[in-house]
């Protein structure tokens, strides 16, 4: 064991909630039963079976209120893997649930036996004219990013687009804000490739699809055609089916597939949409894409009541609005907690309601015409201005429109995060004929109040599709009874009074399965059971997800939400954070880190399950968190799981470690000088020997303390900075310590980074000054990222005091040449400052070097450019909002500038890529594949260690965009 291995007990919660009824039982502490684990490993090969109890727990939760702990998790890498799992299930009487993003809201992505991850290895998109071939693990946002370059967009646009994947979108027939009944998956999916429960693989677009299906699945072909004939022979049933899909409806199976298609393969294509993983695995999708109209005009219109708002909806539908979204007063008030939403919404009257109306057009003339019609409608509406931020006017300003949509899309998470502590959250949606929208809103709110639930509603008003939330504690029998009574009354109301859909776009799931027959009637429901039996005769796929004869099935498996650390407690496990997480394909995601913490709280103090979870948590959650905090940017309520992991790192430190770290901060002049000498000396030693020596030291001491050597580590920086003078300086230039220790990439010819920044500033007539007493100062990120609070405080106060003096009390801006260091000085040091130094900090203007360079551009003459450049925007740039400036500077230096669609945090995180190189290798895999797919003249970023990480990932030299700007403007 390494000498300084941390004690897992340091991460044990100090206050336990007490054994919860839904805790993982002690008998499961060993994880997957050996026979099941070994059997699947024998079938699939090594590395594809996750069996630790921590693995099972982290996959047990999704965005729904349910929690079912699987027996085993399989990471499928290919169609052959999925077929093999299906075959294993048939032979051994097992059951299989497929899981991609885990953003479904009704437990569709949960199972109690074999759970198959079909996200990790299933991303990719190819654009083929007006069609797109998309793999099922690709998020909607990622697919649309590629399509946007071709002027196209997908029809489905769920609010969870940044996280939900196309496989899940099709399997649930998710639609969203604008899809309605004409742009959803059922209408825009051209074809798909499916793995049937039997293992048969079928591309429904293949010319011989029906022939192949007839040869391999003759009973299935005959059965599909027989069901089609039976339905078509019953005119009343045909009318009922057609009527059900005149409004949005995802409850049950798509019986209209039997009416819309004429061949078995085509029927199968339709049935797979909305099948929720119960008919097969969707291995690939081909979508008919839609034109992307880039010009947008939107208004957020405020009304005195819900009825007044609902009454206005048909007017905007007739005017051609692409989206008409409804938010009631409680929704608007809760959204005020979301960054970017006006704070004065918090004081809106509860009776207030708002419509978000958006028009899109391909050209200015068309948009102006739409605006004219829409604006003409406003005079006849009872609009109000209950807050200073309310304008009730159409705008084309992208930031304003983006803020409106941020508020609307945060409905679930904003309301959910404000729920009482310890309560779980039910998210429901339903649809009524749009003409009945006002009545439905009032009836729903009255029903919520009658049963003691906070009344709130929002939805896609243009399509009569409403959403609401219920918060309660399933551990309390009274709460459970109240929820059961509400659901029974709600379903009766929706069906009997409005003839509506109990699920409009979230799919049936476990919550509505018991009420399927109430909506569809016995005849249609029995047809659905027969369809399931036909496609999955042994019932291996997703049992009880769509069809369940247990009238209380929706009360089974509801999860408790134990209280955890305050920073993470608002989490509703939506999963929006997961696509941005660098460790998601290696260990855990932010959601999973919180899920594991909650399970620890469910366990008693002496629990063997708790002991196993703690033993795994150190590496899986704490050590392999990059600490980049991009999860905070993705989370609708701003939960910073990276900050929590830094807090846990601090908890693991002994007092001696804290004192040592503080000592390093106090004597950083010596540390910096020694580090530069060591890097210089390393340049004279073979990489192989250095890898061997650092590897031995890591094993002896602790991998999370001793960096490994990478061949891509650059040589030492110059010992002296370029000469500058203070008189006449337009800014103070602070070369970050990383750029004072490490030099430029191997083979670099030309000036150093400090020389380049000094040169371009002088050429633009804005000279900079480098202080002579830089040594011993740092942005404090070294200590902050590792949770060394004492060292962090020492350096944070030192750098602020020094910067205040250098800049003449804030008179000059401080320009920093590494984006993570800019973030550190500008924001991250603040909590560690003394009261006096906080006042000094408030007077500083801290600029990243790319922002400074963008400001210099108008005064610079570009003399030469390269053909192409690929960018790596750092996570710190995302926090600072500097990505656009990086692109602006790069565009001045290169004829073509590309930001990869799969750009993300490189996870190098200062030295974390040296401590855990596997983290950086996993985090950069997709971006690296995109970069290496073609040649670029330059590979640009603005943070030295991120550049090292990307060079390690791609084998291509990355350098600062400032170096490229210097070359482009060099006389």
């Amino acid at each position: 064991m390494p000498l300084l291995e941390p004690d897992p007990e340091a991460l044990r919660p100090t206050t336990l909630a007490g054994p919860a009824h839904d805790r993982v039982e002690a008998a499961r502490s060993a994880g997957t039963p050996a026979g099941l684990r070994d059997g699947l490993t024998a079938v699939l090969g090594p590395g594809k079976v996750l069996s630790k109890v921590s693995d099972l727990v982290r996959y047990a939760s999704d965005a729904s209120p349910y929690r079912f702990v699987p027996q085993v998790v399989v990471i499928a890498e290919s169609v052959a893997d999925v077929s093999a799992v299906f075959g294993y299930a048939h032979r051994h009487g097992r059951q299989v649930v497929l899981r991609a993003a885990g953003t479904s809201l009704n437990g569709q992505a949960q199972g109690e036996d074999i759970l198959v991850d079909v996200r990790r290895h299933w991303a990719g998109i190819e654009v083929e004219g007006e069609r797109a071939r998309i793999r099922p693990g690709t998020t909607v946002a990622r697919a649309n990013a590629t399509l946007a370059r071709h002027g196209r967009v997908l029809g489905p646009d769920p609010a969870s687009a940044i996280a939900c994947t196309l496989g899940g979108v099709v399997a649930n027939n998710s639609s969203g804000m604008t899809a309605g009944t004409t742009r959803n998956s059922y209408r825009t999916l051209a074809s798909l490739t499916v793995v049937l429960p039997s293992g048969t693989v079928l591309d429904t677009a293949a010319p011989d699809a029906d022939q192949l299906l007839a040869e391999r699945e003759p009973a299935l072909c005959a059965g599909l055609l027989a069901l089609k004939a039976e339905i078509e022979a019953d005119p009343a049933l045909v009318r009922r089916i057609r009527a059900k899909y005149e409004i949005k409806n995802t409850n049950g199976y798509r019986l209209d597939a039997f009416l819309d298609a004429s061949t078995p393969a085509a029927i199968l294509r339709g049935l797979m949409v909305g099948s929720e993983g119960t008919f097969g695995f969707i291995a690939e999708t081909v979508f008919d894409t839609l034109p992307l109209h880039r010009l947008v005009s939107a208004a957020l219109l405020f009304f005195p009541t819900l009825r007044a708002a609902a009454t206005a909806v048909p007017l905007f539908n007739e005017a051609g609005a692409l989206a008409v979204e409804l938010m009631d007063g409680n929704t608007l008030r809760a959204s005020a907690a979301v960054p970017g939403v006006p704070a004065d919404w918090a004081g809106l009257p509860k009776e207030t309601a708002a419509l978000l109306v958006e028009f899109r057009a391909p050209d200015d003339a068309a948009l102006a015409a739409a605006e004219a019609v829409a604006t003409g409608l406003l005079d006849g509406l009872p609009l109000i201005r209950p807050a200073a931020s309310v304008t009730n006017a159409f705008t084309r300003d992208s930031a304003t429109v983006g803020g409106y949509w941020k508020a609307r899309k945060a409905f679930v998470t904003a309301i959910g995060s404000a729920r009482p502590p310890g309560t779980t959250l039910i998210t429901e949606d339903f649809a009524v004929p749009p003409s009945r929208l006002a009545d439905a809103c009032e009836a729903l709110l009255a029903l919520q109040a009658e049963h003691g639930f906070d009344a709130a509603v929002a939805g896609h008003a243009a399509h009569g599709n409403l959403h609401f939330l219920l918060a309660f504690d399933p551990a309390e029998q009274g709460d459970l009874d109240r929820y059961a009574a509400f659901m029974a009354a709600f379903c009766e109301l929706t069906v009997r009074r409005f003839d509506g859909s109990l699920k409009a776009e979230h799919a049936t799931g476990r919550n509505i399965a018991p009420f399927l027959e109430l909506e569809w009637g016995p005849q249609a429901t029995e047809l659905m059971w027969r369809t399931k039996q036909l496609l999955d005769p042994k019932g291996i796929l997703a049992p009880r997800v769509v069809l369940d004869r247990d009238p209380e099935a929706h009360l089974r498996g509801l999860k408790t939400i134990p209280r955890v650390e305050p920073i993470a407690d608002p989490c509703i496990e939506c999963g929006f954070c997961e696509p941005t997480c660098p460790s998601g394909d290696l260990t855990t995601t932010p959601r999973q880190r919180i899920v594991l913490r909650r399970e620890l709280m469910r366990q008693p103090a002496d629990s063997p399950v708790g002991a196993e979870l703690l033993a795994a948590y150190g590496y899986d959650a704490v050590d392999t968190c990059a600490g980049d905090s991009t999860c905070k940017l993705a989370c609708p309520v701003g939960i910073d799981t990276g900050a929590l992991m830094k807090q846990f790192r601090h908890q693991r430190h002994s007092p001696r470690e804290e004192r040592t770290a503080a000592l390093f901060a106090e004597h950083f002049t010596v540390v910096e000088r020694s580090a530069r000498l060591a890097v210089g000396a390393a340049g004279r030693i073979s990489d192989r020997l250095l890898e061997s020596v650092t590897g031995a030291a890591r094993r002896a001491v602790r991998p999370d303390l001793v960096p490994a050597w990478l061949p891509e580590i650059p040589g030492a920086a110059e010992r002296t900075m370029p000469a500058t003078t203070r008189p006449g300086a337009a800014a103070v230039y602070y070369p970050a310590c990383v750029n004072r220790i490490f030099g430029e990439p191997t083979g670099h010819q030309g000036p150093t980074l400090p020389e380049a920044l000094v040169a371009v500033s002088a050429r633009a007539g804005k000279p900079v000054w480098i202080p002579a007493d830089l040594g011993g100062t740092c942005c404090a990120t070294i200590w902050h990222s590792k949770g060394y609070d004492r060292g962090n405080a020492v350096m944070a106060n030192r750098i602020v005091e020094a910067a205040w003096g250098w800049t003449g009390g804030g008179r000059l801006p401080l320009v920093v040449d590494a984006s993570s260091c800019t973030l550190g000085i500008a924001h991250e040091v603040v909590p560690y400052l003394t009261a006096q130094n906080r006042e000094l900090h408030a007077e500083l203007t801290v600029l990243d070097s790319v922002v400074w360079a963008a400001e210099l551009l108008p005064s610079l003459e570009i003399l030469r450019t390269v053909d192409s450049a690929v960018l790596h925007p750092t996570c710190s740039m995302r926090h600072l909002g500097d990505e656009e400036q990086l692109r602006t500077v790069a565009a001045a230096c290169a004829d073509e500038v590309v930001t990869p669609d799969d750009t993300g945090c490189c996870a190098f995180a200062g030295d974390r890529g040296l401590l855990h190189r596997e983290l950086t290798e996993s985090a950069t895999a997709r971006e690296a594949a995109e970069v290496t797919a073609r040649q670029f003249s330059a590979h640009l970023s603005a943070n030295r260690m991120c550049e090292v990480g990307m060079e390690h990932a791609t084998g291509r030299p990355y350098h600062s965009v400032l170096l490229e700007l210097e070359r482009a403007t060099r006389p």
Side-chain angles (χ1 to χ4, degrees):
M1 177 181 292
L3 294 175
L4 298 178
E5 188 71 17
D7 181 6
E9 288 297 316
L11 298 179
R12 184 180 290 279
T14 55
T15 307
L16 296 176
H21 75 275
D22 62 339
R23 69 187 183 277
V24 177
E25 295 295 333
R28 300 196 63 182
S29 62
T32 301
L36 176 59
R37 179 195 65 214
D38 296 344
L40 283 168
T41 301
V43 169
L44 297 167
K48 299 178 182 179
V49 178
L50 303 182
S51 60
K52 294 185 303 184
V53 68
S54 60
D55 294 325
L56 308 185
V57 168
R58 65 189 174 96
Y59 272 95
S61 294
D62 61 9
S64 80
Y66 296 96
R67 194 175 85 110
F68 293 99
V69 182
Q71 292 287 329
V72 67
V73 176
V74 170
I75 307 297
E77 297 181 6
S78 64
V79 165
D81 284 349
V82 176
S83 294
V85 172
F86 288 179
Y88 181 91
H90 274 112
R91 293 191 300 274
H92 297 277
R94 313 297 304 212
Q95 295 171 337
V96 179
V97 168
L98 304 162
R99 174 177 173 136
T103 55
S104 56
L105 296 169
N106 288 281
Q108 298 97 309
Q110 295 182 23
E112 300 170 79
D113 196 359
I114 301 174
L115 188 71
V116 182
D117 182 318
V118 289
R119 177 199 61 83
R120 186 177 300 185
H121 297 286
W122 296 88
I125 174 173
E126 298 175 16
V127 180
E128 303 168 350
E130 294 185 355
R131 285 185 169 176
R133 186 175 301 274
I134 311 173
R135 303 195 76 204
T138 310
T139 66
V140 173
R142 171 64 178 84
N144 278 333
T146 295
L147 286 168
R149 295 199 300 270
H150 300 267
R152 310 294 295 181
V153 69
L154 291 171
D157 65 333
S160 57
I162 64 168
C164 67
T165 60
L166 267 298
V169 167
V170 174
N172 291 287
N173 196 21
S174 306
S175 48
M177 315 290 177
T178 65
T181 58
T182 59
R183 295 161 58 107
N184 61 20
S185 294
Y186 187 79
R187 298 300 177 191
T188 61
L189 184 72
S191 65
L192 52 76
T193 298
V194 58
V195 182
L196 296 172
S198 63
T200 294
V201 180
L202 181 74
D203 177 358
T204 62
D208 60 347
D210 284 295
Q211 178 183 343
L212 185 148
L213 198 60
E215 292 172 355
R216 297 185 182 178
E217 306 280 350
L220 174 58
C221 280
L224 290 174
L225 292 175
L227 285 172
K228 174 180 172 64
E230 180 180 339
I231 292 170
E232 291 180 333
D234 187 335
L237 179 60
V238 170
R239 287 194 298 272
R240 181 60 179 160
I241 292 171
R242 291 300 189 195
K244 290 299 295 177
Y245 293 110
E246 289 179 359
I247 61 174
K248 293 174 71 170
N249 191 338
T250 59
N251 193 17
Y253 296 129
R254 291 288 309 210
L255 293 181
D256 55 344
F258 290 106
L259 303 176
D260 295 334
S262 57
T263 70
I267 293 171
L268 187 59
R269 183 217 70 88
L271 286 173
M272 288 301 300
V273 178
S275 61
E276 303 175 53
T278 63
F279 288 165
F281 168 54
I282 299 170
E284 187 175 74
T285 62
V286 178
F287 274 87
D288 289 319
T289 63
L290 305 172
L292 174 60
H293 294 161
R294 300 180 188 274
L295 299 183
V296 178
S297 181
L300 191 61
L301 308 175
F302 285 75
F303 295 82
T305 64
L306 263 175
R307 178 168 287 278
T311 301
V313 171
L315 300 176
F316 292 108
N317 283 346
E318 292 168 8
L322 184 63
V324 184
E325 295 292 305
L326 174 70
M327 292 176 277
D328 79 336
N330 283 337
T331 301
L332 293 164
R333 289 155 63 96
S335 296
V338 177
V341 176
D344 60 5
W345 288 12
L348 291 173
K350 290 185 177 181
E351 298 77 16
T352 305
L355 291 179
L356 171 52
V357 183
E358 181 176 284
F359 292 86
R360 285 182 174 265
D363 54 59
D364 189 76
L367 188 61
E371 286 174 320
V373 173
T375 301
L377 297 173
L378 301 185
D379 291 339
L381 298 176
L383 299 177
I384 60 172
R385 294 190 62 185
S389 64
V390 173
T391 63
N392 289 329
F394 281 88
T395 178
R396 298 188 185 188
D397 180 69
S398 60
T400 303
V401 174
Y404 293 161
W405 279 110
K406 191 170 188 179
R408 170 60 190 92
K409 291 183 178 183
F411 168 65
V412 173
T413 45
I415 299 286
S417 67
R419 75 195 187 284
T423 58
T424 193
L425 193 70
I426 301 280
T427 306
E428 282 298 344
D429 86 304
F430 68 109
V432 299
S435 61
R436 306 292 306 279
L437 183 67
D439 292 337
C441 287
E442 292 181 346
L444 172 65
L445 294 176
L447 193 65
Q448 287 176 301
E450 177 186 342
H451 290 269
F453 292 105
D454 290 337
V457 65
H460 315 313
H463 312 293
N465 179 191
L466 297 173
H467 299 252
F468 64 93
L469 307 173
L470 306 173
F472 66 98
D473 185 353
E476 296 291 333
Q477 188 60 48
D479 264 18
L480 194 62
D481 292 342
R482 181 164 57 97
Y483 164 66
F486 173 88
M487 284 302 296
F490 160 71
C491 292
E492 285 285 338
L493 173 75
T494 302
V495 173
R496 306 295 187 204
R497 180 173 170 184
F498 296 105
D499 193 20
S501 309
L502 291 175
K503 281 293 182 184
E505 61 179 0
H506 293 169
T508 311
R510 299 176 184 273
N511 207 31
I512 292 298
F515 303 99
L516 179 65
E517 187 170 328
L518 173 65
E519 176 178 337
W520 277 96
Q523 182 185 12
T525 303
E526 198 56 35
L527 283 168
M528 294 180 190
W529 277 97
R530 288 166 59 191
T531 304
K532 168 67 171 173
Q533 177 65 25
L534 183 63
L535 278 152
D536 184 18
K538 290 193 175 182
I540 70 164
L541 291 184
R544 308 188 72 169
V545 167
V546 177
L547 302 174
D548 198 326
R549 298 193 192 276
D550 178 1
E552 296 187 344
H554 59 304
L555 307 179
R556 175 177 169 268
L558 290 166
K559 65 185 174 188
T560 59
I561 304 291
R563 298 191 71 169
V564 291
E565 288 72 16
I567 193 173
D569 201 52
C571 176
I572 61 167
E573 302 173 11
C574 67
F576 283 22
C577 56
E578 293 194 334
T580 192
C581 179
S583 60
D585 287 345
L586 178 68
T587 51
T588 57
T589 66
R591 170 169 62 176
Q592 291 174 338
R593 290 176 168 96
I594 296 171
V595 162
L596 289 165
R597 200 71 185 163
R598 284 176 171 162
E599 182 58 33
L600 277 169
M601 298 299 293
R602 294 187 184 100
Q603 295 292 325
D606 58 351
S607 161
V609 171
E612 290 295 328
L613 296 180
L614 282 172
Y617 201 82
Y619 175 77
D620 288 351
V622 180
D623 293 346
T624 52
C625 174
D628 60 300
S629 295
T630 52
C631 51
K632 177 182 179 180
L633 301 178
C635 176
V637 292
I639 294 173
D640 189 347
T641 313
L644 179 61
M645 294 304 108
K646 292 169 188 173
Q647 176 184 320
F648 288 157
R649 288 171 189 166
H650 175 67
Q651 286 179 207
R652 295 192 306 182
H653 297 155
S654 67
R656 181 180 179 182
E657 286 180 282
E658 282 288 327
R659 287 195 300 270
T660 302
L663 192 66
F664 269 69
E666 291 164 3
H667 300 280
F668 192 64
T669 301
V670 176
V671 173
E672 178 186 336
R673 186 183 304 121
S674 300
R676 186 168 55 249
L677 290 172
V679 171
R684 298 186 290 274
I685 303 174
S686 73
D687 288 333
R688 191 170 185 177
L689 178 58
L690 287 168
E691 289 175 349
S692 176
V693 170
T694 57
R698 285 163 58 80
R699 290 189 295 273
V701 181
R702 177 175 151 198
D704 206 49
L705 286 179
V706 180
W709 179 260
L710 290 182
E712 293 81 11
I713 293 177
E718 297 290 334
R719 294 179 60 186
T720 59
M721 291 290 120
T724 58
T725 58
R726 184 166 190 169
V732 177
Y733 170 28
Y734 180 67
C737 67
V738 67
N739 292 321
R740 305 197 304 265
I741 294 171
F742 296 104
E744 310 314 321
T746 302
H748 170 75
Q749 295 181 344
T752 64
L753 176 57
E755 290 169 343
L757 196 147
V758 168
V760 295
S761 300
R763 289 170 196 163
K766 293 184 176 182
V768 294
W769 170 63
I770 302 176
D773 55 343
L774 297 172
T777 63
C778 170
C779 66
T781 300
I782 296 172
W783 293 268
H784 180 250
S785 66
K786 293 178 172 60
Y788 288 113
D789 286 2
R790 286 182 57 182
N792 195 0
V794 168
M795 191 55 72
N797 285 282
R798 180 184 297 171
I799 185 60
V800 168
E801 291 167 3
W804 192 82
W806 293 333
T807 61
R811 184 178 60 83
L812 296 177
L814 184 75
V815 177
V816 186
D817 63 4
S819 57
S820 60
C821 302
T822 310
L823 180 66
I825 298 173
H827 300 288
E828 292 176 344
V829 299
V830 174
Y832 300 90
L833 298 177
T834 65
Q836 181 179 355
N837 283 342
R838 288 192 187 192
E839 293 180 6
L840 300 185
H841 184 273
E843 298 181 28
L844 297 178
T845 299
V846 184
L847 295 179
D848 191 64
S849 57
V850 296
V851 175
W852 177 250
E855 292 179 3
L856 299 179
L857 276 179
S859 301
L860 292 171
E861 182 182 4
I862 302 298
L863 300 174
R864 62 191 65 82
T865 59
V866 295
D867 292 336
S868 61
V870 63
L871 304 184
H872 175 70
T874 69
C875 51
S876 297
M877 290 179 189
R878 290 186 60 193
H879 286 287
L880 293 164
D882 295 349
E883 291 175 282
E884 189 55 41
Q885 285 92 334
L886 174 68
R887 188 171 184 87
T888 297
V889 177
C893 306
D895 299 334
E896 178 193 11
V897 176
V898 174
T899 302
D901 291 334
D902 282 315
T903 289
C905 175
C906 68
F908 214 83
D911 66 352
R912 193 138 298 263
L914 301 176
L915 299 172
H916 298 287
R917 62 191 295 174
E918 71 278 12
L919 175 61
T920 287
E921 289 166 357
S922 176
T924 56
R926 291 181 184 176
E927 181 179 355
E930 205 173 338
V931 170
T932 56
R934 58 164 287 189
Q935 292 297 316
F936 292 97
S937 307
H939 301 74
L940 307 177
S941 189
N943 194 295
R944 192 69 200 93
M945 299 317 290
C946 296
E947 292 156 14
V948 172
M950 288 307 299
E951 182 172 344
H952 178 68
T954 64
R956 298 183 178 183
Y958 275 73
H959 59 265
S960 171
V961 70
L962 270 296
L963 292 174
E964 199 62 38
L965 181 62
E966 189 283 325
R967 193 198 72 85
T969 59
R970 189 184 307 160

